[in-house]
Amino acid sequence: MYGSKTTAPLRTRYQVSNSTFGKHSSNKSSEDLPFSDLQNVWFQNDGAPPHKVSSVQQYIRETFQQQVIGYGGCVEWPPRSPDLNPLGFFLWGCIKQRVYSTPPPTLQELRNRITDACESVSPAMLYNVQREVQSRVQMCITAEEHHFEHDR
């Protein structure tokens, strides 16, 4: 997700692991996002084990420079905080609902559905998600960064 758009997810025929993350993701991200758009993209690092490896950290720093949120980034973000992550509280659920409304009969159909679901996310939906993130972050600040429940 970036700005008022989503891009289809990185798809690779390789299993992404600690050693292959940068190698296989670097060529696809340049196809999906022109460099001028990539300058406006922030990488939110969820601290997944493949993202913690030094070579991956180097790739992320080189690609996104000072625009990294979370683990190893210049903007701190609480780990394992799906209530504060729009991918966690919005995008994955939205995509799964559209993709798995009926079981996809083939791998290609699954890929097509994922791409179509990403393309169906409207700018209005993303605007509402951005407002929701602001609201949730404010709740976190009010709770003085301690645990809080989100009940919307």
Side-chain angles (χ1 to χ4, degrees):
M1 294 175 16
Y2 73 104
S4 62
K5 328 179 207 184
T6 59
T7 63
L10 165 67
R11 286 197 308 256
T12 177
R13 59 190 167 114
Y14 308 100
Q15 181 174 350
V16 178
S17 67
N18 297 353
S19 61
T20 62
F21 177 89
K23 179 169 61 174
H24 298 305
S25 60
S26 59
N27 29 2
K28 185 63 177 171
S29 49
S30 61
E31 290 173 20
D32 283 350
L33 298 174
F35 183 71
S36 60
D37 284 347
L38 191 58
Q39 293 175 341
N40 297 315
V41 172
W42 286 72
F43 182 85
Q44 185 164 6
N45 190 340
D46 60 3
H51 297 166
K52 291 182 174 183
V53 176
S54 61
S55 60
V56 172
Q57 285 289 299
Q58 180 179 347
Y59 168 78
I60 292 170
R61 279 191 303 275
E62 288 171 0
T63 303
F64 297 97
Q65 298 173 11
Q66 298 299 313
Q67 295 176 195
V68 178
I69 301 168
Y71 183 86
C74 60
V75 177
E76 293 184 27
W77 200 262
R80 296 170 300 283
S81 54
D83 282 349
L84 297 176
N85 182 339
L87 299 176
F89 75 78
F90 165 71
L91 189 63
W92 300 140
C94 177
I95 299 299
K96 285 179 187 178
Q97 183 179 27
R98 293 169 192 250
V99 169
Y100 294 108
S101 59
T102 60
T106 65
L107 180 58
Q108 186 58 48
E109 178 61 19
L110 174 63
R111 289 177 174 156
N112 292 343
R113 288 184 189 187
I114 292 169
T115 299
D116 292 346
C118 288
E119 290 173 354
S120 74
V121 176
S122 71
M125 293 166 78
L126 293 177
Y127 175 78
N128 289 334
V129 169
Q130 290 170 354
R131 289 182 51 106
E132 185 64 24
V133 168
Q134 292 169 348
S135 170
R136 291 170 183 228
V137 168
Q138 186 57 51
M139 283 190 249
C140 184
I141 291 168
T142 301
E144 296 180 347
E145 300 178 17
H146 291 85
H147 179 79
F148 67 95
E149 295 292 327
H150 183 265
D151 297 330
R152 284 193 193 179

